[in-house]
Amino acid sequence: MTVLLREPETLEEAVGILTADPGARLVAGGVTVCLQITHRRSDPSALVLLRRVPGLSGVTVLGDGTLEIGALTTHGELAADPELSARHPRLTELFSDVGNVRVRAAGTIGGNLANADPAQDPAVLLAVIGAEAHTVSPRGERTVPIAGLSAGAWRSTLAADEVIRRVRVPRLPPTSRTGWSKIQSGSLDDYATVNAGVRMDLGADGTIASVRAVVGAAVASPRVFDIPALAGSHPGDTLALKACAREATADLETVTDHRGSADYRRHLAGVALGRALTRCLDDDRRPA
Ligand SMILES: Cc1cc2nc3c(=O)[nH]c(=O)nc-3n(C[C@H](O)[C@H](O)[C@H](O)COP(=O)(O)OP(=O)(O)OC[C@H]3O[C@@H](n4cnc5c(N)ncnc54)[C@H](O)[C@@H]3O)c2cc1C
């Protein structure tokens, strides 16, 4: 098998190669692409390496507190980033727990999101926080909410010649809390059996005003949903939080695979969501 290696020096050049050759495949960290080629699930005519394109790595804080993350930033770099940890400590926890040290050293946020693998972690919490991907294609630039990147298991809503340039994570108000939970049935470097991300907003009296949640890994395509039943509850009322989590996941359309049956996953979804909700209580770090 012969594969042409292309190393464009601009994103526009990369997009041009993908447009001219529909068999070409973009490579960021190569974690997924290389495994797919090794297991003969992908047979690209060319590999388009992004590593020479400048400006695609790192975290920048914008004037309004939004974080701009380059698509080539690795999970490991995000786990160690002080700006991310000051503003979104739950995301730091999440990136520290992706796969194993080798996956975190090579795998990138752009490659992870473009994969649309329903078992992956970052999209779950980024979606409830309201993060967006900024993309480039021959049709110009566009902004896609992270919640709108998946069209189903392993199918992203990106066009074949569309490249993620960066991810923007909005600043959350001091009244917002986030929670994250990941349950693994196998080894600790395995994907989640179920994961859950939550954004809880508090009212002036300290009670819950609204809750947005996502359950991932146990479903074909994670979706954001609200939990209106929690409005007016105290964020420290763990019994109410856990009961609502069980109720909110009782009809979830879960999947059966080697990580567990649909019924087992539905039960775990309630547990994971309950944990994510209760963890909102100690998420009170926000920079001025
Ligand atoms: C053992 C193991 C354990 C893992 N555990 C976890 C886990 O616990 N949680 C988790 O979330 N993930 C996990 N992963 C998945 C891992 O995080 C992803 O494989 C990785 O993030 C993909 O990033 P990459 O840069 O290597 O992408 P690549 O393999 O380079 O690319 C992946 C796909 O995205 C496309 N692509 C890459 N960059 C872009 C871009 N900028 N714009 C558009 N398309 C692009 C590529 O063409 C390809 O289709 C695990 C993987 C392994 C092998």
Side-chain angles (χ1 to χ4, degrees):
M1 174 178 132
T2 309
V3 183
L4 198 62
L5 278 189
R6 305 291 303 269
E7 293 195 85
E9 300 202 353
T10 65
L11 219 45
E12 289 65 28
E13 196 189 333
V15 166
I17 298 170
L18 294 173
T19 308
D21 178 2
R25 192 101 190 262
L26 209 58
V27 179
V31 175
T32 303
V33 173
C34 294
L35 277 176
Q36 288 175 343
I37 294 173
T38 308
H39 292 291
R40 299 186 189 281
R41 289 203 301 259
S42 178
D43 185 16
S45 52
L47 293 176
V48 185
L49 276 53
L50 284 176
R51 64 185 178 189
R52 283 192 197 276
V53 179
L56 290 185
S57 278
V59 178
T60 310
V61 187
L62 304 184
D64 64 354
T66 298
L67 291 185
E68 199 167 85
I69 304 173
L72 281 193
T73 314
T74 64
H75 303 303
E77 286 166 342
L78 287 166
D81 189 87
E83 300 293 358
L84 187 73
S85 126
R87 289 166 173 77
H88 297 281
R90 296 298 181 212
L91 282 174
T92 299
E93 269 172 37
L94 182 152
F95 285 110
S96 310
D97 213 14
V98 167
N100 55 41
V101 69
R102 285 173 298 157
V103 171
R104 291 194 290 278
T108 66
I109 186 169
N112 186 289
L113 293 173
N115 252 342
D117 177 347
Q120 290 183 173
D121 300 318
V124 166
L125 194 49
L126 288 170
V128 286
I129 290 174
E132 298 170 331
H134 289 240
T135 70
V136 184
S137 78
R139 295 159 298 285
E141 304 206 2
R142 70 176 181 129
T143 299
V144 190
I146 300 300
L149 265 182
S150 168
W154 296 96
R155 284 188 298 121
S156 89
T157 54
L158 299 174
D161 55 1
E162 189 170 13
V163 182
I164 300 175
R165 188 198 290 273
R166 63 176 83 94
V167 173
R168 281 204 175 137
V169 186
R171 176 179 183 270
L172 290 179
T175 46
S176 280
R177 303 280 181 270
T178 51
W180 159 250
S181 170
K182 174 174 181 175
I183 299 178
Q184 290 145 295
S185 311
S187 65
L188 276 183
D189 66 356
D190 192 11
Y191 288 82
T193 300
V194 178
N195 56 25
V198 166
R199 171 178 171 171
M200 180 186 282
D201 284 278
L202 304 180
D205 62 355
T207 64
I208 297 173
S210 63
V211 174
R212 308 213 80 189
V214 175
V215 171
V219 296
S221 183
R223 292 277 170 257
V224 178
F225 58 93
D226 294 320
I227 312 183
L230 277 173
S233 301
H234 190 274
D237 185 352
T238 53
L239 285 180
L241 298 181
K242 288 183 177 177
C244 272
R246 282 195 298 274
E247 208 169 297
T249 50
D251 297 323
L252 201 65
E253 259 188 57
T254 44
V255 294
T256 296
D257 65 18
H258 62 285
R259 292 196 180 88
S261 70
D263 286 344
Y264 170 65
R265 300 293 250 310
R266 197 174 303 108
H267 168 73
L268 282 191
V271 176
L273 183 57
R275 287 180 187 170
L277 283 165
T278 55
R279 286 174 185 170
C280 287
L281 196 60
D282 49 83
D283 175 30
D284 55 1
R285 281 197 285 154
R286 292 276 183 275

